[in-house]
Amino acid sequence: FLLANERTLLAWVRTGLAIIAGGVAVAFLSAQSTFATIAGMGAVLFGALVSLVGYHRYRMADQAIRVGELPKPGIGSLFVVIGVTCFALCLVVRRYFAR
């Protein structure tokens, strides 16, 4: 169980890194657009928050495992889904409706 928990932490970190990479791409490939820079930096910060949420979840699960309990369900996954969806919607709205 402890190793599975560590693999889950690594999955959270990979997800955070992927979001950060996407934010860097948006920010620096569209350097002339203020919106793209703000959106990209927002994604970078969101990616960092995802990694922190993953670490928090890891610590909670570790404590529960060590006392022989199931970890409480968290809302971290919902946080990631909502954040990625909002980022995608902002980019779509900007691209197609703000001309």
Side-chain angles (χ1 to χ4, degrees):
F1 293 113
L2 293 174
L3 294 176
N5 192 33
E6 288 177 7
R7 285 191 303 272
T8 302
L9 171 62
L10 293 174
W12 279 95
V13 171
R14 278 193 311 270
T15 301
L17 287 172
I19 295 169
I20 289 169
V24 169
V26 167
F28 292 105
L29 293 177
S30 301
Q32 297 84 9
S33 170
T34 302
F35 175 80
T37 302
I38 292 170
M41 290 299 101
V44 168
L45 293 174
F46 180 67
L49 283 174
V50 165
S51 293
L52 290 173
V53 167
Y55 180 73
H56 176 69
R57 182 75 182 145
Y58 166 78
R59 296 295 303 158
M60 288 178 47
D62 186 63
Q63 289 173 354
I65 290 167
R66 290 183 188 279
V67 295
E69 298 176 355
L70 289 174
K72 295 178 183 172
I75 61 168
S77 299
L78 179 62
F79 172 72
V80 172
V81 170
I82 289 172
V84 170
T85 302
C86 289
F87 181 62
L89 287 174
C90 285
L91 294 177
V92 168
V93 166
R94 172 67 177 156
R95 174 72 173 111
Y96 293 106
F97 298 113
R99 293 184 182 221

